[in-house]
Amino acid sequence: MIVVLQLMAFCLALVSTLFLVVATWTDCWMVNADDDLEVSQKCRGLWWECVTNTQDGIRTCDQYQYETILAEHPLKIVLTRALMITADILASFALIILVLGLDVIKLLKEEPHIKIRICYFAGFIFGLGGIPGMIGSVWYAVDVYVERATLVLKNVYLGMHYEFGWSCWLGMAGSTGCFLTSIVLTCCLYIFR
């Protein structure tokens, strides 16, 4: 049963880590939510803004024009970048540790108590990695929602409004997967040990 739980945790960990990395480096954290008469779809990410022409599919992306990665950006962008990169690093590190702790790997085969501790440690790191990923994703989504609600309450129409896009959802899913992996690696392995 422990081997099945470890392999299930590994698959979940791999997918969750990929989701977090893809969410961090893609460009659809915010997408325009106007009516269907629009001739282009606009996506804003943490690093650049892209516009796709809906008629011919041509896509152009512009990087945010600032000298450094932290200079003059809105707080929402800077903190979300930092939180998502932290989550990526922690999840990747935990995935490497988890591979070393799997029973199907020959390393330390004669020391099962050390391998189970490695799995516990990987679960702890996954739990830590899920926290900044979830905070960054949810905070960005809430900020987009509050910005939109404020404009609606003040009856301000700027020609378009944004809602959170698939990259934001992917970040939330990856963070949730990290938490589930942490639960499987710590609690479930302890129960079935």
Side-chain angles (χ1 to χ4, degrees):
M1 183 68 173
I2 288 180
V3 174
V4 172
L5 283 173
Q6 286 179 344
L7 291 177
M8 184 178 75
F10 174 74
C11 292
L12 185 60
L14 183 64
V15 170
S16 300
T17 303
L18 287 174
F19 279 7
L20 283 173
V21 170
V22 168
T24 303
W25 300 105
T26 53
D27 59 9
C28 252
W29 281 76
M30 291 171 58
V31 64
N32 64 326
D34 290 335
D35 57 12
D36 294 335
L37 299 175
E38 286 291 318
V39 294
S40 63
Q41 180 187 16
K42 297 170 186 73
C43 284
R44 288 186 181 171
L46 301 178
W47 309 98
W48 53 82
E49 181 174 351
C50 295
V51 177
T52 305
N53 190 321
T54 55
Q55 294 175 352
D56 57 13
I58 295 175
R59 180 184 178 118
T60 58
C61 294
D62 293 323
Q63 251 185 337
Y64 296 132
Q65 299 297 320
Y66 300 106
E67 285 87 32
T68 67
I69 198 169
L70 298 175
E72 300 295 324
H73 289 290
L75 184 63
K76 170 178 66 174
I77 298 279
V78 173
L79 283 180
T80 305
R81 281 179 182 177
L83 289 167
M84 292 305 291
I85 289 172
T86 303
D88 292 349
I89 291 169
L90 287 172
S92 299
F93 179 64
L95 187 63
I96 292 168
I97 292 173
L98 177 59
V99 168
L100 298 175
L102 294 175
D103 284 341
V104 296
I105 302 297
K106 301 280 187 217
L107 182 72
L108 296 171
K109 193 68 171 177
E110 59 280 345
E111 300 288 341
H113 62 283
I114 292 177
K115 288 184 84 71
I116 200 80
R117 286 185 182 167
I118 291 172
C119 286
Y120 289 153
F121 184 65
F124 177 72
I125 300 296
F126 269 115
L128 286 179
I131 293 169
M134 187 60 78
I135 291 171
S137 301
V138 170
W139 183 46
Y140 194 94
V142 167
D143 192 59
V144 169
Y145 177 77
V146 167
E147 180 181 309
R148 179 178 171 192
T150 303
L151 292 176
V152 168
L153 286 175
K154 293 180 179 179
N155 290 326
V156 176
Y157 182 71
L158 299 175
M160 75 176 73
H161 63 276
Y162 287 90
E163 59 187 27
F164 39 96
W166 62 269
S167 295
C168 192
W169 287 109
L170 210 57
M172 290 181 207
S175 300
T176 303
C178 284
F179 287 130
L180 292 175
T181 302
S182 178
I183 290 169
V184 169
L185 288 175
T186 54
C187 301
C188 295
L189 280 182
Y190 183 76
I191 291 170
F192 292 107
R193 182 168 60 135

